[in-house]
Amino acid sequence: MASTIYIDEDIGLDDDTAVGTEAAPYKTLLHAMIKADGSSSTYLTRKSITGTVEEGSDASARLEWKPASKSALKKATNLYEQHKRKQVKASELALRENAEAAKRRQVLEDAKKIVIKEDASLPAPIRIRLQETDPAKIKLGTADSKGTRVRVLGYVHHLRSQKDLIFITLRDGYGQMQCILSGEMIKTYAAMTLTLETSIEIRGELKALPPKAHAPLDRELHADFFTIIGAAVGDKDAITNKVQEGGDPQNLLDNRHLVIRGDIASSVLKVRHFVDLAFRMTFQELGMTSVCPPAMVQTQVEGGATLFEFNYYGEPAYLTQSSQLYLETALASVGDCYCMRPSFRAEKSLTRRHLSEYEHIEGELNFITFPDLLAHLEDVICSVVDKSLADPVVGKYIRELNPSFQKPSRPFRRMRYAEAIEWLVENDIPNEDGEPHKFGDDIAEAAERRMTDILNVPIFLTHFPVEIKAFYMKKDPEDLRVTESVDVLMPGVGEIVGGSMRIDDYEELMAGYAREGIDPKPYYWYTDQRRYGTTPHGGYGLGLERFLAWMTGRWTVRECTLYPRFAYRCRP
């Protein structure tokens, strides 16, 4: 029996509250047809609010129900037929997916029954790390010879399945190795449910690659046995869904513990390890002694505005901004010295080159002149770069991370602060107030970096005005307006080193305290260096993360430390 269905294009609804009656009409003709499921029905429509009526007619005329027009019925019928076809396809797809899921479940259930055992007739494997290449320890198999049977442990870094093979790239933090599972092994439940980042032990024969194939160190492990150590989660929680290259920066920082497993982050951390070692080797070659100054202090070095204060047994104390003052006191005891320690700056700065905690490489040199200090900095920087590029592994990482990197040529360009001001004015680079630079301005980071990038060479920027430098910096005897100070600027990063000659005259140091409004009493131990055999001396501080950003071509220093700490972030 044909039914009458009502559609009101203004107040009708296309949900479960509408039933197609006058009191609860549908909103669209298509939805009405879908609900009627193709039955022979009469469709009455109206526009109860926006519908128009002829001039002079009663306005209630628009409330009348009228049969749907032929054109409207034809259009709705076509859309309804499309809808039915889509429904059929969706139903067929759901059936196939359900059948495949059931089949998959059955396959996995059957896979649980497959148990592989290690062949006792095979030689006992030797444990190696993935980067091991010593021919005295391992031999690669060929078509005519057997290779060494080895045992490796690591994480599934890449995973690729073929019909009869599973290719695994294993990672252990030292290197990578391609491993191949075949035969009964790929039919096991463990192999079928293998996920990225699963930790695994694989045993098998190490073989040379076939012609035209590619894999780390040109070899692959043909597995004869494997064991899952710790399965990694998959599906929506898989690592590829949690962190993605080029993803939201805040998400990547929140999941830094997963990001560092990636190739790029891992390479940067390995370069950092070697560069750290290269600095120590260089200092050793220069006859400098390592000392270990305290991180908890009660004096400032770089201005009180950037101090992290805390309660130290009822007294105010701070996390150190720099170990420089303590290094100066060690000169008379151990000679030229250095430290590689964290420093802390409470700057609410979110630039790409600022951290609240960073590794500070600081050195102090006794009985020197300002030119000696500049020559020493050149020696240290170039020595570390040379050592890093010469190492076959680290050099490869640097070239992959920063293909355009070239070791700096010597001598570095020397540019006095006054010359830099002139250059900035000539090149229309304004100060922070948008005005031309003038002598006495503290050159802002953006202007300094732009100048460095344009000149595109390492720069010793020297002789800054007394008023914009720290209380301890020595004045230039030939121009008392400026200090014997230096910033080392590198293209792409800007300042990576700040240094100076230190005031060695007692009265001049006291004047420095007064100029900066610093009470000298807490600094008695520092001032005493000028009372008990003062000497001409100087030193510097180098930010390791900035140095690494320069070498590895990283956009921000946050990529150059394990867990970056900067304004408003202290997690994870």
Side-chain angles (χ1 to χ4, degrees), residues 19-33:
V19 291
T21 63
E22 283 191 79
Y26 295 125
K27 187 176 182 66
T28 63
L29 185 54
L30 173 61
H31 192 71
M33 286 186 174

Side-chain angles (χ1 to χ4, degrees), residues 216-428:
L217 298 178
D218 294 323
R219 64 188 184 179
E220 57 192 9
L221 178 63
H222 289 245
D224 55 53
F225 183 75
F226 76 96
T227 305
I228 300 297
I229 299 171
V233 293
D235 299 326
K236 64 181 179 65
D237 287 323
I239 191 169
T240 49
N241 292 328
K242 296 279 282 187
V243 292
Q244 298 173 342
E245 186 176 348
D248 175 65
Q250 295 306 313
N251 178 64
L252 296 179
L253 287 166
D254 288 339
N255 290 284
R256 180 69 177 166
H257 59 294
L258 299 178
V259 170
I260 59 177
R261 296 183 178 211
D263 290 326
I264 292 176
S266 174
S267 296
V268 172
L269 291 176
K270 289 173 181 176
V271 172
R272 178 183 176 123
H273 160 74
F274 189 90
V275 168
D276 188 290
L277 179 62
F279 271 106
R280 296 180 190 277
M281 293 165 60
T282 297
F283 291 139
Q284 178 72 18
E285 292 167 1
L286 294 172
M288 299 175 69
T289 301
S290 172
V291 295
C292 193
M296 297 182 289
V297 301
Q298 290 186 308
T299 51
Q300 68 182 50
V301 181
E302 300 296 337
T306 65
L307 287 167
F308 282 109
E309 184 174 350
F310 64 96
N311 185 308
Y312 188 75
Y313 302 104
E315 294 184 349
Y318 315 100
L319 295 176
T320 185
Q321 301 164 310
S322 166
S323 296
Q324 172 205 316
L325 305 188
Y326 293 96
L327 289 180
E328 287 187 54
T329 69
L331 288 174
S333 173
V334 300
D336 294 349
C337 57
Y338 74 95
C339 72
M340 298 173 65
R341 304 271 287 167
S343 282
F344 306 86
R345 302 282 173 89
E347 294 174 274
K348 294 182 174 65
S349 177
L350 293 171
T351 76
R352 58 190 176 101
R353 68 175 193 174
H354 278 89
L355 291 170
S356 297
E357 177 186 3
Y358 63 98
E359 185 167 351
H360 208 175
I361 301 174
E362 299 184 84
E364 288 294 321
L365 309 170
N366 210 358
F367 301 107
I368 65 165
T369 63
F370 188 52
D372 293 335
L373 177 62
L374 301 186
H376 168 87
L377 284 170
E378 233 176 51
D379 288 342
V380 169
I381 291 170
C382 291
S383 172
V384 170
V385 170
D386 288 345
K387 285 178 168 59
S388 301
L389 293 177
D391 184 87
V393 175
V394 175
K396 179 173 178 289
Y397 286 143
I398 294 171
R399 286 186 285 272
E400 289 173 348
L401 291 165
N402 189 6
S404 63
F405 180 77
Q406 294 182 348
K407 62 182 181 181
S409 59
R410 303 176 66 173
F412 293 179
R413 177 166 180 167
R414 267 71 167 166
M415 177 184 279
R416 295 175 74 99
Y417 165 88
E419 295 175 58
I421 292 295
E422 292 177 3
W423 190 95
L424 291 167
V425 171
E426 290 170 1
N427 287 271
D428 295 321

Side-chain angles (χ1 to χ4, degrees), residues 46-64 66:
R46 74 179 182 186
K47 293 182 180 180
S48 62
I49 299 174
T50 60
T52 59
V53 295
E54 295 180 4
E55 186 178 351
S57 301
D58 189 337
S60 63
R62 67 180 166 208
L63 297 177
E64 295 178 3
K66 298 179 180 180

Side-chain angles (χ1 to χ4, degrees), residues 134-167:
D134 185 356
K137 190 173 183 179
I138 54 175
K139 175 186 174 184
L140 298 184
T142 65
D144 302 318
S145 63
K146 280 284 186 182
T148 303
R149 187 166 184 258
V150 299
R151 168 177 171 253
V152 295
L153 299 98
Y155 302 86
V156 177
H157 194 55
H158 294 295
L159 183 62
R160 178 167 57 91
S161 296
Q162 292 184 352
K163 182 178 180 182
D164 299 317
L165 300 171
I166 295 177
F167 291 87

Side-chain angles (χ1 to χ4, degrees), residues 57-234:
S57 301
D58 189 337
S60 63
R62 67 180 166 208
L63 297 177
E64 295 178 3
W65 297 99
K66 298 179 180 180
S69 66
K70 290 183 178 180
S71 62
L73 283 170
K74 182 177 180 181
K75 181 178 179 181
T77 300
N78 289 336
L79 291 173
Y80 173 65
E81 292 300 324
Q82 291 178 25
H83 168 77
K84 285 198 301 181
R85 288 194 292 271
K86 288 180 180 178
Q87 289 293 96
V88 170
K89 288 183 178 179
S91 178
E92 291 173 349
L93 179 62
L95 287 173
R96 286 199 302 271
E97 288 178 344
N98 289 336
E100 289 171 1
K103 183 179 179 181
R104 170 73 174 169
R105 287 193 295 271
Q106 186 58 53
V107 169
L108 290 177
E109 286 300 315
D110 293 341
K112 290 178 181 179
K113 302 172 185 176
I114 299 175
V115 178
I116 58 171
K117 294 183 178 180
E118 188 172 12
D119 187 344
S121 67
L122 293 173
I126 62 169
R127 164 75 191 280
I128 64 168
R129 285 178 173 169
L130 301 184
Q131 90 287 8
E132 179 64 67
T133 57
D134 185 356
K137 190 173 183 179
I138 54 175
K139 175 186 174 184
L140 298 184
T142 65
D144 302 318
S145 63
K146 280 284 186 182
T148 303
R149 187 166 184 258
V150 299
R151 168 177 171 253
V152 295
L153 299 98
Y155 302 86
V156 177
H157 194 55
H158 294 295
L159 183 62
R160 178 167 57 91
S161 296
Q162 292 184 352
K163 182 178 180 182
D164 299 317
L165 300 171
I166 295 177
F167 291 87
I168 298 171
T169 301
L170 208 61
R171 181 193 79 245
D172 67 352
Y174 299 96
Q176 296 183 4
M177 180 181 289
Q178 178 167 287
C179 307
I180 301 176
L181 306 186
S182 59
E184 286 296 293
M185 285 182 290
I186 70 171
K187 300 176 183 178
T188 62
Y189 182 82
M192 289 185 173
T193 58
L194 197 58
T195 52
L196 295 179
E197 295 305 315
T198 289
S199 54
I200 187 172
E201 175 186 334
I202 303 179
R203 303 183 180 197
E205 181 187 350
L206 206 53
K207 291 188 175 184
L209 284 181
K212 298 183 180 180
H214 301 281
L217 298 178
D218 294 323
R219 64 188 184 179
E220 57 192 9
L221 178 63
H222 289 245
D224 55 53
F225 183 75
F226 76 96
T227 305
I228 300 297
I229 299 171
V233 293

